Amino acid sequence: MTAIHTASATTATATIEPHDAGSPTPHIRIAIVGSGFAGMGLAIKLRQEGRDDFLVFERGEDVGGTWRDNTYPGCQCDVPSNLYSFSFAPNPDWTHTYATQPEIRTYLQECADRFGIRPHIRFGHRVIDARWNDTDTRWHIDTSEGSFTADLVVVGAGPLSDPSIPEIPGAASFTGTSFHTARWDHDHELTGERIAVIGTGASAIQAVPAIQPIVEHLTLFQRTPPWVLPHPGRDVPESKRRRYRRFPITQKIDRAFTYVVRELSVIAFTKRPEFMEAPEREGIKHMERAVADPELRAKLRPTFSLGCKRVLLSDKWYPAIAQPNVDVVTESIREITPEGVVTADGVEYPVDTIIWATGFHVTDIPAAQHVWNAKGENLLHEITDGDGMYLGTTAPGFPNLFVMVGPNTGLGHSSIVYMIESQLNYILDAIHQIDDRGLATVTVRGGPARDYNAEMQRGLEGTIWNSGCASWYLDANGRNQTLWPTFTWKFRARTRRFDIANYDFVTQRERQLIASQRSSGTSTTRDTAAVIGG
Ligand code: NAP
């Protein structure tokens, strides 16, 4: 790969202890789940430190996470690529300021090769569950390809990994083809077909313009009209790419400029909603320039404040849905029949193919549902009904566990890769401190987690994201556990160092003492919690 400038990396195989202390289960120091931006970012950082004591469990057959899975036509990042990429691996070869999915996927594949992490990835290993065991102070991980134990687990399966398809009566009876945008069926030919697209979010506004010209008819089922603004993206001329290659500092400056502009926009989302009035006017004009029909205009006019849901960017969306072969249906869906979709007013729309553009399981955090502590409690329970996670990264009661892109680390205004790199700093420093201090376990205390989550909710009060629209930022109780409420540099500052003062810890010596007391039967009520330092 020529595109990515990094320190050179040597390839190495992971250190696994196949038969540790009489256990037949392979043991690793650090288990990482997922090889998208998050899991791969950590793997790269560990390799750069010369470590080979980690494994990445990846359910797919390649790296890339959501950028491997979302192959729908038109898929493109809505964050500028100079910012939506690792700061330590700039890519001077982006051909567009907002890269398309194939380019981002290639970028991630090239990162995996360049930094030599593929030997550390176990592809086709779906993590079924991970359970903490207090007796051997290890994580016990069951994957689809066998069991492992690990001292530390880092969950890097992001919130956009599991597609969400609503349960609509009769869906199973449909005799045509159906698939989700994140599982696009490229073997299925859409040309000349009657298509139903359900949903009008970030994925739909990209996929619909790509397929509208080839289908016979497209019925778009819209529950909420989104705000769609003109797309500011443009091709990156070869001269600029040459300049980025020759003078990497120029790309860094462009990245910094994009970062600052995006950061400033958070003021409108959080403190000055009136700043959204001008973009709202622009959004309406944008729609009316492409759509002449007053009835269609009325259907497409958003009814919530711009920014409450993710702001969408497209120059192709409105022109596509104004075409004669597209109908926008705003009546809610009552059922699916073998032939098509029936709305609440009893009208049936016969179709050959249904495309679900209905988003992802975000707030129910599928990855958390597979993680259990020593008491048999589930991580999702801790997040939704317990003290919650600390810095969106660690959870009380779950020793040696780190979650990337956890609660309240999502963004409505900037690049999630920046947040991921902040978490990388934190997790790496945690690993260093665990090693240097000879710690067996670290577990965040309930108090800091409670305080932190109260602070998050206070910070989100009065923001546009909490202004009353229904969005995937909000959980079933209407609580926003998705977004970081302020400037991203504040998260960077808080995650610069692993703040062990907020953690309970057990040293290796204490752990050995407990183990020997247990085996000799002299242990009283002492357990790991009773000898914690702080
Ligand atoms: P989404 O934004 O959650 O949109 C889902 C759509 O499905 C919404 O329009 C929703 O309507 C609709 N829907 C859900 N259930 C429905 C039902 N029962 N009946 C009718 N409509 C229903 O999902 P997405 O478009 O896949 O995007 C998810 C996130 O992925 C984005 O916000 C973004 O973060 C990311 N993404 C990013 C890019 C990018 O360019 N970087 C591209 C695609 C996706 P309501 O609005 O009424 O809920």
Side-chain angles (χ1 to χ4, degrees), residues 108 125 147 173 206 263 426 461 498:
L108 290 170
H125 283 57
S147 300
S173 72
Q206 296 178 337
E263 273 312 271
Y426 191 76
E461 274 170 24
F498 179 66

Side-chain angles (χ1 to χ4, degrees), residues 14-252:
T15 303
I16 304 175
E17 302 158 26
H19 296 287
D20 178 60
S23 161
T25 309
H27 180 71
I28 40 177
R29 177 77 172 141
I30 306 165
I32 302 171
V33 183
S35 67
F37 266 103
M40 203 154 76
L42 182 61
I44 290 171
K45 289 287 178 186
L46 293 172
R47 276 305 301 135
Q48 285 182 323
E49 292 185 352
R51 296 184 79 123
D52 59 8
D53 54 353
F54 65 94
L55 272 187
V56 182
F57 296 112
E58 169 52 62
R59 66 184 176 183
E61 294 303 328
D62 201 352
V63 299
T66 198
W67 295 105
R68 176 201 59 219
D69 294 338
N70 281 270
T71 60
Y72 62 80
C75 185
Q76 181 181 18
C77 188
D78 57 8
V79 178
S81 301
N82 276 342
L83 193 57
Y84 196 85
S85 44
F86 292 123
S87 63
F88 52 83
N91 176 13
D93 292 331
W94 298 122
T95 61
H96 196 273
T97 50
Y98 291 71
T100 58
Q101 175 267 340
E103 272 197 87
I104 301 172
R105 183 182 178 174
T106 302
Y107 167 79
L108 290 170
Q109 289 169 328
E110 290 180 342
C111 281
D113 295 334
R114 174 68 177 248
F115 291 98
I117 62 160
R118 282 191 195 270
H120 294 265
I121 305 177
R122 293 294 174 267
F123 291 109
H125 283 57
R126 174 183 292 273
V127 171
I128 297 162
D129 65 24
R131 290 172 191 276
W132 176 255
N133 183 316
D134 246 346
T135 306
D136 63 8
T137 57
R138 285 180 171 181
W139 283 99
H140 290 243
I141 304 161
D142 288 330
T143 80
S144 53
E145 300 301 312
S147 300
F148 297 78
T149 58
D151 294 326
L152 311 175
V153 166
V154 182
V155 177
L160 302 181
S161 26
D162 286 29
S164 166
I165 296 184
E167 285 177 17
I168 295 178
S173 72
F174 183 60
T175 51
T177 302
S178 67
F179 52 84
H180 189 277
T181 45
R183 300 288 182 270
W184 196 269
D185 182 352
H186 291 277
D187 294 332
H188 181 73
E189 184 54 72
L190 295 173
T191 306
E193 282 203 335
R194 299 161 303 165
I195 310 291
V197 174
I198 299 176
T200 53
S203 302
I205 65 133
Q206 296 178 337
V208 165
I211 61 171
Q212 171 273 322
I214 60 164
V215 304
E216 181 192 304
H217 192 269
L218 192 153
T219 310
L220 180 65
F221 292 90
Q222 173 188 271
R223 194 162 65 177
T224 312
W227 283 102
V228 183
L229 297 183
H231 202 300
R234 58 195 181 283
D235 290 337
V236 181
E238 176 51 35
S239 56
K240 185 175 238 185
R241 287 183 250 159
R242 251 197 326 269
R243 178 154 58 79
Y244 282 166
R245 279 193 291 272
R246 276 194 75 191
F247 307 109
I249 184 72
T250 59
Q251 190 171 22
K252 282 200 176 128

Side-chain angles (χ1 to χ4, degrees), residues 17 109 289 355 475 519 525:
E17 302 158 26
Q109 289 169 328
R289 273 193 294 268
I355 298 174
D475 67 15
S519 63
T525 55

